[in-house]
Amino acid sequence: MKQSLLISLFLLLCQWISPAGEKDFQQSVRQAVEKQMQTYPKSTLKDLYKNFFQDKFGPGHIISDTTAAANYLRRELASYTETEGEVAEPTGWEGNFYRVNLSVIKKNQLPYPVFFDAFIRSVNGIHPVTVAEWQEGWNRIEAIIRSMNLSLPDYEADKKEIDDRLNRGEYVGHHSKQFEDTYSPHYRIISKEIFEKELLPLLQSLPD
């Protein structure tokens, strides 16, 4: 029994570090970074970090209090009139979640209760990892970003800020001021499964 378990663990380890697996990882990360930089060329390392951490942690960090999350969403909806950006964008390199633009509520494409319920239930799609595990993963992602020579502004300062935060056991990041000022992002993170099975069909059923 013990020998069988050791063999299974060994095979799993081989699969994790296989050249093919590493190649797929690097390619997926590069594609995710290229996509973001094409869509949001004013992105900084902070903004790339946020995209990747959202892919791992989803919306869990902002739904500890459902009532507060609802109040914050309603205040945000009331704070602006113009809507920009795509309706939905996959997060990170795995695409575990979507950033769903609040324009779907502003334009009455989805009812608020349907959207908010999907947002809240998206916590169930999170597969928890420790901050230390995430830090290891981020270090691999950051090494790929660095190798792409993107000439991101304030790269070293942003990297230090992110590293210091992770060393304190914190993982939540925020968009850079440059990103906020340029793109005025308004969205919520919704799980891939819920968005594709429940919300996307509703959006696709809308008249042209």
Side-chain angles (χ1 to χ4, degrees):
M1 181 71 175
K2 183 180 293 185
Q3 184 177 11
S4 175
L5 178 59
L6 289 173
I7 291 173
S8 297
L9 290 172
F10 175 74
L11 292 174
L12 182 61
L13 179 62
C14 289
Q15 181 180 11
W16 174 252
I17 63 176
S18 69
E22 179 63 23
K23 183 178 180 180
D24 289 345
F25 168 74
Q26 291 193 20
Q27 183 178 10
S28 296
V29 169
R30 285 178 174 271
Q31 288 174 345
V33 173
E34 288 168 356
K35 167 67 173 173
Q36 173 148 345
M37 296 310 298
Q38 288 168 3
T39 308
Y40 305 106
K42 296 293 187 180
S43 294
T44 69
L45 186 65
K46 287 182 181 180
D47 303 302
L48 291 172
Y49 174 87
K50 186 176 180 73
N51 194 3
F52 286 103
F53 103 71
Q54 286 176 332
D55 191 39
K56 183 60 66 176
F57 293 96
H61 64 289
I62 54 175
I63 310 186
S64 56
D65 183 331
T66 303
T67 301
N71 291 337
Y72 185 79
L73 176 56
R74 289 192 181 279
R75 286 198 302 272
E76 184 172 349
L77 285 166
S79 70
Y80 70 101
T81 55
E82 297 295 323
T83 59
E84 300 179 7
E86 298 181 26
V87 168
E89 301 170 314
T91 56
W93 70 274
E94 293 180 294
N96 292 316
F97 297 87
Y98 280 89
R99 290 175 172 176
V100 183
N101 199 314
L102 297 188
S103 64
V104 297
I105 303 175
K106 298 283 282 188
K107 296 180 179 179
N108 296 315
Q109 294 172 314
L110 290 176
Y112 175 92
V114 171
F115 183 95
F116 187 71
D117 179 65
F119 170 52
I120 294 298
R121 286 188 290 117
S122 292
V123 173
N124 299 328
I126 299 171
H127 303 288
V129 297
T130 65
V131 175
E133 289 170 330
W134 163 237
Q135 184 171 18
E136 182 178 349
W138 165 248
N139 288 339
R140 296 173 66 209
I141 293 169
E142 187 275 325
I144 296 170
I145 295 172
R146 181 179 290 272
S147 74
M148 296 174 72
N149 298 316
L150 299 172
S151 299
L152 300 176
D154 302 317
Y155 191 102
E156 295 303 331
D158 285 355
K159 181 181 183 304
K160 183 179 186 306
E161 181 180 324
I162 292 167
D163 289 344
D164 288 347
R165 184 185 307 121
L166 291 170
N167 288 334
R168 294 195 302 268
E170 304 168 6
Y171 65 85
V172 178
H174 303 285
H175 281 302
S176 65
K177 186 177 187 303
Q178 177 172 292
F179 191 98
E180 294 274 2
D181 291 345
T182 305
Y183 304 112
S184 186
H186 297 284
Y187 61 81
R188 287 297 183 272
I189 303 298
I190 293 179
S191 82
K192 176 181 179 179
E193 181 178 8
I194 292 175
F195 177 76
E196 293 183 353
K197 287 186 176 181
E198 300 178 26
L199 302 190
L200 184 57
L202 293 174
L203 293 170
Q204 290 174 331
S205 68
L206 294 171
D208 294 332

